[in-house]
């Protein structure tokens, strides 16, 4: 997107709805311009009438008018800034809501392709740049632009020759600003990247703090933290330094202008072409013009920062999901829950090797089917394709003869529950974590799901029972307790299709026994696909598929596979030795 397209987009989608407030701010900007110009203009009659002509009639009026002018300017600046700050904060809120909405609705692949720390940096750092564009740059454009026009008018009315000399400073300042603006856009992008790296590192530290302690890597992580913070500090410092580079240039230009003007004014006075009152009024206007010129000179920097930020966040907001409902898609109607894979191939990226290669599966409805194979063979991928967490590359997946590609996504996922070894929980109460499956469930349904999943057992030992906050991803619970919460959620959802991804791995025998009982309740008379490492799970399956290198290499019951599949036989023998 070009700079103009980004600005148009930000206006159309975000600032346009606050146009009344923006126009009000512009009105107050006009008052600022008028009051500032009047201050310079009032010096002419003040000097002439009071100091030169000794006229006593204006000795009270002019000071009062000057006070009124300054007061009007102060109030108007406050009102204009207040209005634009409010608009900027509202726009910031809308941008962040749109970004969060995009994150929430995005395909899994989109989120997984970029570290969450970088997304957080987009959400905070970049949106702040756009907020500054509105609250500072837009207001300054009108306020300082109009003020400069008003003061130039005063200057030309006093003496056009001196004014022509003074306005040479404006194009010189613009050239400086353009050069700095280009540099600022580049530095701001680099700073955003460093901010993303720091956020990324911070998330990793929180997530792996136990690992850091076990391997005694505190000093190592301290050094890494210093590097990340130092990098961000250097970029932030560079932004600030680039921003103030205009100051020595502007001060030098101002000094040269004043020196030339004083010299030239002296010549004009000697020739009686300008009076002392005209000169002081002109000089006041020119000195008051210094701040608007300086502000306008650095305006380009703030605009470039905002545009660079918009260039990064608008593609996130505009992200189009690959996984969407097709035209005329229909609700999924479950009869017995049969699932069929027809020549399904899949790779996470088109240019990468295929994870699944022409997979054919026929999974009976209402029964348990097991997937067995080495790690990385494609078992979890098969499960993830059923609820369309990813889209298949070719082939089709059908549930009771209905293609999931022609089924409404909400309808499809409504009928599927997943329980995996990587239990995902919110930093919320136990009650809210269970109710996440069905927010409208009654207390009776909640209790029933808790009892069936054996969650009630450990809840009784907690001080706040269901209202206990479990910490980030359930950090205050054991692995078995987290698994039971996950099963309780699935029971509460009561979907006809259950996907179990190594749901009983890494548990002690007693906990596994309880969870296995809960899973038996969860999966009773339901279509269940289980990725199994436990021997008991495999023996209970009605059918077993052996997956190897993205292909189905064998299928059948336990006894058949012991004879027909060397891979399964090895798997079984390892399990026997293990137990």
């Amino acid at each position: 997107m070009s700079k103009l397209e980004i600005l148009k987009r930000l206006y159309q989608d975000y600032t346009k709805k606050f146009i009344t407030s923006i126009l009000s701010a512009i009105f107050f900007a006009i008052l600022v311009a008028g009051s500032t110009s009047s201050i310079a203009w009032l010096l002419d009659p003040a000097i002439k009438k009071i100091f030169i002509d000794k006229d006593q009639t204006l000795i009270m009026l002019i000071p009062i008018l000057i006070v009124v002018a300054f007061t009007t300017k102060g109030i108007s600046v406050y009102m204009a800034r207040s209005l634009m700050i409010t608009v900027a904060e509202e726009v910031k809120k809308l941008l962040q809501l749109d970004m969060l909405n995009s994150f929430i609705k995005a395909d899994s692949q989109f989120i997984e392709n970029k570290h969450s720390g970088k997304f957080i940096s987009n959400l905070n750092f970049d949106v702040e740049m756009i907020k500054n564009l509105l609250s500072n740059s837009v207001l300054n454009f009108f306020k300082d632009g109009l003020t400069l026009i008003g003061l130039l008018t005063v200057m030309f009315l006093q003496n056009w020759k001196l004014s022509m000399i003074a306005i040479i400073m404006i194009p010189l300042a613009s050239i400086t600003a353009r050069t700095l603006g280009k540099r600022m856009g580049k530095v701001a992008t680099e700073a955003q990247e460093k901010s993303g790296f720091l956020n990324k590192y911070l998330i990793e530290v929180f997530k792996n703090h136990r690992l850091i302690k076990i391997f005694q890597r505190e000093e190592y992580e301290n050094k890494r933290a210093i590097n990340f913070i130092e990098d961000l500090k250097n970029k932030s410092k560079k932004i600030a330094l680039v921003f103030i580079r205009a100051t020595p240039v502007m001060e030098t230009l101002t000094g040269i202008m004043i020196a030339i003007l004083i010299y030239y004014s002296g010549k004009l006075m000697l020739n009686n072409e300008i009076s002392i009152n005209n000169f002081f009024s002109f000089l006041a206007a020119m000195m008051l013009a210094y701040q608007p010129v300086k502000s306008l000179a650095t305006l380009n920097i703030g605009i470039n920062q905002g545009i660079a930020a918009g260039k990064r966040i608008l593609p996130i907001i505009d992200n189009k999901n690959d996984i969407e409902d097709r035209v005329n898609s229909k609700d999924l109607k479950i009869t017995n829950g049969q699932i069929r894979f027809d020549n399904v191939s899949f790779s996470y990226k088109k240019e990468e090797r295929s994870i699944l290669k022409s997979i054919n599966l026929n999974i009976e409805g209402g029964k348990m089917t097991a997937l067995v194979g080495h790690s990385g063979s494609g078992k979890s991928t098969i499960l993830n394709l059923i609820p369309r967490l990813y889209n298949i590359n070719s082939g089709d997946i059908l549930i009771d003869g209905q293609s999931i590609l022609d089924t409404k996504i909400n309808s499809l996922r409504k009928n599927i529950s997943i329980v995996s070894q990587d239990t995902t929980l919110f930093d919320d109460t136990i009650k809210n974590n269970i109710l996440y499956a069905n927010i409208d469930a009654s207390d009776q349904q909640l209790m029933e799901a808790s009892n069936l999943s054996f969650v009630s057992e450990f809840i009784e030992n907690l001080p706040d029972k269901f209202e206990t906050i479990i910490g980030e991803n359930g950090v205050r619970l054991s692995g078995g307790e987290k698994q039971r919460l996950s099963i309780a959620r699935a029971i509460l959802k009561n979907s006809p299709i259950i996907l179990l991804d190594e749901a009983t791995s890494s548990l002690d025998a007693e906990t596994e026994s309880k969870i296995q009982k809960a899973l038996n309740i969860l999966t009773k008379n339901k279509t269940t696909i289980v990725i199994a490492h436990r021997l008991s799970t495999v023996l209970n399956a009605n059918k077993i598929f052996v997956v190897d290198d993205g292909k189905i290499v064998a299928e059948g019951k336990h006894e058949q596979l012991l004879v027909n599949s060397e891979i399964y036989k090895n798997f079984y023998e390892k399990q026997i030795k293990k137990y």
Side-chain angles (χ1 to χ4, degrees), residues 44 61 67 76 82 109 120 128 159 199 266 333 425 429 536:
D44 183 350
L61 181 59
V67 171
S76 298
S82 296
Q109 209 154 0
I120 292 170
E128 192 67 25
N159 190 282
N199 284 332
K333 290 182 172 58
L425 299 169
T429 63
S536 56

Side-chain angles (χ1 to χ4, degrees), residues 95-371:
L95 282 166
Q96 288 181 325
L97 283 173
D98 282 352
M99 289 182 73
L100 283 169
N101 187 50
S102 180
F103 293 150
I104 291 166
K105 291 184 176 179
D107 293 340
S108 298
Q109 209 154 0
F110 176 78
I111 297 297
E112 291 163 4
N113 282 341
K114 188 174 176 181
H115 196 283
S116 54
K118 293 189 176 181
F119 282 127
I120 292 170
S121 183
N122 291 134
L123 191 69
N124 294 323
F125 185 93
D126 285 335
V127 173
E128 192 67 25
M129 292 295 101
I130 292 175
K131 188 192 87 170
N132 290 337
L133 168 65
L134 289 171
S135 60
N136 295 325
S137 300
V138 171
L139 177 59
N140 289 348
F141 174 76
F142 288 105
K143 178 176 70 68
D144 296 317
L146 292 170
T147 299
L148 184 59
I149 291 170
L151 290 169
L152 285 173
T153 303
V154 173
M155 290 161 66
F156 270 94
L157 288 172
Q158 298 301 342
N159 190 282
W160 69 270
K161 292 179 181 178
L162 291 177
S163 300
M164 292 302 294
I165 296 171
I167 62 173
I168 295 172
M169 184 168 64
I170 296 173
L172 291 175
S174 300
I175 293 168
T176 304
R178 178 170 291 188
T179 304
L180 294 177
K182 290 179 180 178
R183 177 66 180 152
M184 181 61 80
K186 182 181 177 182
V187 175
T189 300
E190 292 171 356
Q192 189 275 340
E193 289 175 357
K194 297 300 180 185
S195 175
F197 289 142
L198 181 59
N199 284 332
K200 173 184 170 183
Y201 174 70
L202 188 63
I203 290 168
E204 297 293 339
V205 166
F206 288 144
K207 190 166 64 175
N208 300 314
H209 71 283
R210 291 182 182 178
L211 199 68
I212 294 168
K213 294 184 183 303
I214 291 296
F215 288 101
Q216 297 173 291
R217 287 290 175 264
E218 287 92 346
E219 285 303 315
Y220 170 74
E221 293 302 338
N222 277 336
K223 289 176 183 176
R224 291 182 70 201
I226 289 169
N227 289 335
F228 283 116
I229 292 172
E230 183 72 18
D231 285 346
L232 181 58
K233 181 211 76 175
N234 289 336
K235 293 303 176 186
S236 299
K237 177 182 172 182
K238 191 174 284 188
I239 287 176
L241 290 174
V242 170
F243 197 81
I244 63 171
R245 277 181 193 173
T247 301
V249 176
M250 292 299 298
E251 295 290 348
T252 303
L253 286 174
T254 304
I256 292 170
M257 286 300 107
I258 291 175
I260 293 171
L261 286 166
I262 290 174
Y263 172 79
Y264 190 63
S265 298
K267 292 283 189 181
L268 292 176
M269 280 188 184
L270 290 173
N271 296 326
N272 294 318
E273 292 184 45
I274 187 172
S275 62
I276 190 72
N277 53 293
N278 296 136
F279 171 71
F280 274 105
S281 178
F282 174 87
L283 188 62
M286 195 192 77
M287 295 300 289
L288 287 170
Y290 169 74
Q291 190 278 327
V293 170
K294 181 183 175 183
S295 178
L296 292 170
T298 56
L299 189 68
N300 194 40
I301 297 173
I303 292 172
N304 275 326
Q305 280 183 308
I307 290 172
K311 198 171 186 178
R312 289 188 292 270
I313 67 172
L314 288 176
I316 294 173
I317 293 171
D318 293 341
N319 173 56
K320 298 294 182 186
N321 289 339
D322 293 326
I323 302 173
E324 290 185 324
D325 287 335
R326 288 181 174 178
V327 179
N328 299 323
S329 57
K330 298 178 180 178
D331 286 335
L332 179 65
K333 290 182 172 58
I334 299 289
T335 51
N336 65 357
Q338 181 196 34
I339 302 172
R340 194 170 84 245
F341 280 61
D342 283 347
N343 292 315
V344 171
S345 294
F346 173 78
S347 60
Y348 286 100
K349 291 183 179 178
K350 290 183 180 179
E351 63 272 13
E352 292 181 353
R353 68 178 184 87
S354 294
I355 304 297
L356 300 180
K357 304 158 188 174
S358 299
I359 289 280
N360 287 287
L361 288 172
N362 191 9
I363 296 162
E364 294 183 74
K367 296 181 179 178
M368 179 177 285
T369 300
L371 301 178

Side-chain angles (χ1 to χ4, degrees), residues 492-510:
L492 195 62
K493 188 176 181 183
N494 194 29
S495 57
I497 297 172
I498 309 294
L499 308 178
L500 304 177
D501 190 352
E502 301 179 21
T504 59
S505 65
S506 305
L507 299 174
D508 60 79
E510 184 180 350

